[in-house]
Amino acid sequence: MASAGAFPLPNLQSKHRDLSFRFFFSDFLVQLGPPKPSPSKCPCRDWKFSVRTNAVYTEASRGPAVAPWKEKGNSSSDLDDISILNERIRKELGKRQGLRAGNKAVNSTEVEKYINTVKQQQQLGLQKLKGDNKDKGGIGYKVDPYTLESGDYVVHKKVGIGRFVAIKYDVSKSSSDPTEYVFIEYADGMAKLPVKQAARMLYRYNLPSETRRPRALSKLNDTSAWERRRVKGKVAVQKMVVDLMELYLHRLKQKRLSYRRTPAMAEFVSQFPYDPTQDQKQAFIDVEKDLTERETPMDRLICGDVGFGKTEVALRAIFIVVSAGKQAMVLAPTIVLAKQHFDVISERFCSYPHISIGLLCRFQKKSEKEEHLSSIKNGDLDIIVGTHALLGNRVVYNNLGLLIVDEEQRFGVKQKEKIASMKTSVDVLTLSATPIPRTLYLALTGFRDASLISTPPPERVPIKTHLSAYSKEKVLSAIKFELDRGGQVFYVLPRIKDLEEVMEFLEQSFSHVAIAIAHGKQYSKQLEETMKMFSLGDIKILICTNIVENGLNIQNANTIIIQEVQQFGLAQLYQLRGRVGRADKEAYAYLFYPDKSLLSEQALERLAAIEEYRDLGQGFQLAERDMGIRGFGSIFGEQQSGDIGNVGVDLFFEMLFESLSKVDEHRVISVSYKDAQFDVNITPRLSSEYISNINNPVELINEAERAAESDIWSLMQFTEQLRRQYGKEPHSMEILLKKLYVRRMAADLGIRRIYASGKKVVMTTNMSKKVFKLMTEAMTSDIHRNSLTYTGAEIKAELLLELPDEQLLNWIFQCLAELYASLPALVKY
């Protein structure tokens, strides 16, 4: 059976008919006539086929009974040019929205409108990056030479990676006055740059991984290796930009009816018991406008420190959506946080008995789960709160309108992909105190709307943070101080196996104090009971894992001790510290590490950052710092550290923003398949053994032509289905398929005509010189890249000698396949 969307092929069984007919289609002419009867062999083996211009069917000798057309050394498992191209397209273009099978390209008018919108959004992102510093002409990624220390790795845009040595005075050849120079060590010598020039050309070399050390230093006298690395980084950047662009266009193309403003909303707002801060008010306005004034789904990030009022923003969004008869889902990374959200929402909506609320998580009994699943499917539940269980295949929503995601960074890759897939059809609100670099990056560059709540509530007091080597005396002193003032203590460790040992130690010193353990492997009832007793004040010291990282709001717990602090991420540390200081009492966070000599450079920098950003409302700045420490991690769910490692984080980011601001210059304007001419006269001859096993060979070629005319995915599906059904095609059929691939690729690349003149191959195209340059830089084959030149509206290739037609077809096929590989780095419409 052909797969969905694949082109059907004629049946394998041969059928003989006494008939004569002619078919005209595209530029093919096929003529068939009945043979004279022959008792010795199947009559259809003598049928004569002739195809005008493109193919001629001729009689051939009889071969083996199975797949008689197969040629020696050409088994179905061989990787031929077409198979290699198909695999590359599937790998490199498979995730692109605009190039998937069945997805039609956006028309030019729409693209122009969307690109203008993207550029406006980009300017907003750049303004956020620049802040109030009006003197910066570009993005502030270049390094100040005076901040460098001996041994730091730096990147010179034209020369490459070197090691900073020192800043010293020296006398130049053209002047007798001493000048300050930056001395940089390279693999083959020392370079010196005037400080002013260095400030314009140098970047700090950072990597997203633990180590800062590059694979090798660049060479002063041979910059070719560096140039290749820089180009590779540039192409990777451009691919990211286009992926961002297509995701953004795809979201803008989605439509939904805007929600109505109702008097009931004002009543709901009036029930909020606190006076909102200015930032909170702006976040309320932003979300309300997204829901009531836009016709595209909302995708907004609410970034606010712990306890700054993000939840109330989400509650108001939920009320708007549920009042319109739609369902709202609240997704939390842990059962503890999900339960707290459920309690808060239940309390806030207690005046609205007609709005039903449910909690779904893995700890529930089977009967309870089944009841909830049925209620969700039937629409009996309006607000559904839960953990990643809500993303399971068994959860079917009746009319989902809003998804609230709390602390997205805590979910796994598969869960994030499921969340991303939902964003095209429902409104999404993401809450985070320290956004993962991906969400932060999208917010900064304007490709995702963000509201920042950085103003603390009036009664909040900053948390005093102490960072030191572990000491039993310090631990006991900190706990005693908190207990003496009537408070409670969180004691956090990274591993479950260490909890019992700490409990034994504390029970010896505080024998009359209630102490308990909490972690994610406990039974749900046990964990729920422990958390309840701690929140009521019955338990004074809670020894736990980072299960308490999110959401817990216990006013009387104002000291947190975090042991083995180097095992936690920066965002985790910030969230854990936010468990205390929720009231007007001064709070303390004690961060203990085993021995500084055992910590990596990255771990030390992470700890310095958490201590530096101790003020309230600095989660956003902390996340920016986190980006500098470990790069921006996974941009699209795949680690990009290899591409970043080519040039370092800072230069990579500058290239990224430069590319974003010039997104309209990297567009490929495809042409119609019918307008793509391939003027190379080659006539493949298909054997009668091959066509005798096909019910309708004319229809087969017709389907091939239609597949090629549709898009590259349809042609790939046709070819693969052909091979599954009939085995690997003979060489002559492969030539016919290659001609179809050449025309399809040419049309997608904006090439109108391909012809040969002696040793020259000429391609008439509408692509710009910048697009041609980007394409050729991305090519892996030096032979093809070095032979191509761009002149006016033509791409020319100078061959070493005049090739026979079949070899010329193969050369053009491979050349276009190389150019086609760069499409992920270009906006296509």
Side-chain angles (χ1 to χ4, degrees), residues 503-664:
M503 187 168 184
E504 288 177 13
F505 162 62
L506 293 182
E507 282 179 336
Q508 292 173 7
S509 302
F510 304 100
S511 55
H512 302 295
V513 175
I515 306 173
I517 285 176
H519 58 79
K521 298 290 184 182
Q522 290 175 319
Y523 290 112
S524 57
K525 292 294 181 186
Q526 181 187 358
L527 178 62
E528 191 175 330
E529 186 63 26
T530 300
M531 301 311 295
K532 183 179 179 181
M533 290 177 67
F534 187 63
S535 63
L536 293 173
D538 297 335
I539 293 171
K540 298 299 181 184
I541 304 173
L542 184 68
I543 306 168
C544 55
T545 59
N546 64 335
I547 193 171
V548 299
E549 178 183 329
N550 301 107
L552 277 182
N553 185 2
I554 297 171
Q555 303 278 316
N556 196 43
N558 284 294
T559 290
I560 184 166
I561 294 167
I562 305 174
Q563 195 173 316
E564 299 285 341
V565 68
Q566 77 282 357
Q567 299 290 339
F568 296 95
L570 191 53
Q572 283 182 309
L573 290 175
Y574 196 77
Q575 290 283 8
L576 286 168
R577 189 176 66 170
R579 294 313 100 215
V580 298
R582 312 287 289 217
D584 56 358
K585 190 185 288 187
E586 191 163 47
Y588 297 88
Y590 297 90
L591 315 181
F592 293 114
Y593 51 84
D595 184 344
K596 269 197 174 180
S597 63
L598 301 176
L599 301 184
S600 67
E601 183 183 350
Q602 188 189 33
L604 288 170
E605 193 167 345
R606 190 187 300 135
L607 299 184
I610 197 84
E611 199 171 30
E612 179 182 344
Y613 293 108
R614 65 180 66 190
D615 292 337
L616 289 169
Q618 289 193 307
F620 201 69
Q621 291 93 321
L622 189 71
E624 284 186 302
R625 175 71 174 271
D626 193 19
M627 290 170 81
I629 293 172
R630 63 183 176 93
F632 46 83
S634 284
I635 294 263
F636 297 106
E638 295 177 4
Q639 184 66 27
Q640 303 290 339
S641 57
D643 297 322
I644 299 167
N646 285 314
V647 295
V649 170
D650 290 355
L651 179 55
F652 194 87
F653 260 93
E654 180 165 294
M655 291 162 71
L656 187 58
F657 282 109
E658 283 178 1
S659 188
L660 279 165
S661 63
K662 298 174 182 175
V663 68
D664 55 338

Side-chain angles (χ1 to χ4, degrees), residues 173-395:
K173 294 178 180 179
S174 59
S175 172
S176 58
D177 296 328
T179 306
E180 268 191 310
Y181 286 93
V182 175
F183 286 82
I184 304 169
E185 178 190 355
Y186 287 94
D188 56 350
M190 188 78 69
K192 65 175 186 179
L193 285 172
V195 169
K196 287 185 178 178
Q197 185 182 341
R200 294 194 306 270
M201 300 297 290
L202 291 184
Y203 304 80
R204 195 182 291 276
Y205 183 81
N206 293 329
L207 285 179
S209 55
E210 286 287 330
T211 176
R212 293 295 182 83
R213 189 181 297 274
R215 293 191 297 270
L217 297 182
S218 301
K219 293 182 179 180
L220 280 171
N221 297 315
D222 181 11
T223 58
S224 58
W226 164 249
E227 185 60 24
R228 284 195 297 272
R229 291 177 70 171
R230 191 188 64 80
V231 166
K232 194 174 178 182
K234 180 181 175 183
V235 171
V237 160
Q238 190 59 32
K239 285 181 180 180
M240 287 187 195
V241 169
V242 174
D243 279 330
L244 277 176
M245 177 78 177
E246 292 211 339
L247 285 170
Y248 191 76
L249 296 186
H250 189 67
R251 182 162 66 89
L252 287 179
K253 284 193 289 182
Q254 307 307 309
K255 299 293 180 186
R256 60 124 170 90
L257 294 174
S258 57
Y259 294 93
R260 292 190 304 110
R261 285 189 173 94
T262 62
M265 182 63 193
E267 182 187 340
F268 182 80
V269 168
S270 67
Q271 295 169 10
F272 186 52
Y274 306 101
D275 292 327
T277 61
Q278 196 59 42
D279 287 345
Q280 226 182 342
K281 287 178 183 177
Q282 187 57 52
F284 294 150
I285 293 168
D286 292 341
V287 171
E288 190 175 350
K289 281 185 175 180
D290 287 347
L291 293 172
T292 61
E293 295 181 12
R294 287 187 180 181
E295 292 185 348
T296 54
M298 170 178 71
D299 182 15
R300 181 170 290 277
L301 169 67
I302 305 293
C303 184
D305 215 333
V306 286
F308 277 30
K310 301 186 298 293
T311 305
E312 177 62 20
V313 179
L315 291 173
R316 296 188 185 187
I318 290 171
F319 186 84
I320 292 173
V321 171
V322 171
S323 297
K326 292 199 171 187
Q327 292 172 306
M329 171 171 47
V330 181
L331 194 59
T334 65
I335 180 60
V336 173
L337 183 52
K339 181 67 168 63
Q340 181 161 313
H341 277 309
F342 176 76
D343 292 340
V344 169
I345 293 169
S346 298
E347 184 182 345
R348 189 76 166 84
F349 282 82
C350 64
S351 303
Y352 302 89
H354 64 284
I355 295 177
S356 55
I357 306 161
L359 175 67
L360 184 70
C361 64
R362 63 186 174 92
F363 290 138
Q364 290 170 320
K365 292 179 181 177
K366 187 176 180 180
S367 58
E368 194 177 354
K369 274 186 182 178
E370 292 298 328
E371 185 182 342
H372 276 32
L373 290 172
S374 177
S375 298
I376 293 169
K377 186 175 181 179
N378 297 331
D380 297 332
L381 275 180
D382 300 301
I383 305 170
I384 306 102
V385 186
T387 57
H388 61 271
L390 291 176
L391 299 173
N393 294 329
R394 294 192 63 211
V395 185

Side-chain angles (χ1 to χ4, degrees), residues 808-821:
L808 183 63
L809 171 66
N810 289 333
W811 190 93
I812 293 170
F813 178 91
Q814 291 166 2
C815 183
L816 289 182
E818 284 280 324
L819 290 171
Y820 206 81

Side-chain angles (χ1 to χ4, degrees), residues 137-169:
I139 318 304
Y141 285 105
K142 296 180 182 68
V143 67
D144 179 354
Y146 292 107
T147 64
L148 293 170
E149 296 180 7
S150 182
D152 285 352
Y153 291 98
V154 293
V155 180
H156 187 288
K157 209 168 184 177
K158 293 184 178 178
V159 181
I161 302 168
R163 187 186 291 111
F164 173 76
V165 177
I167 296 178
K168 297 179 181 178
Y169 279 97

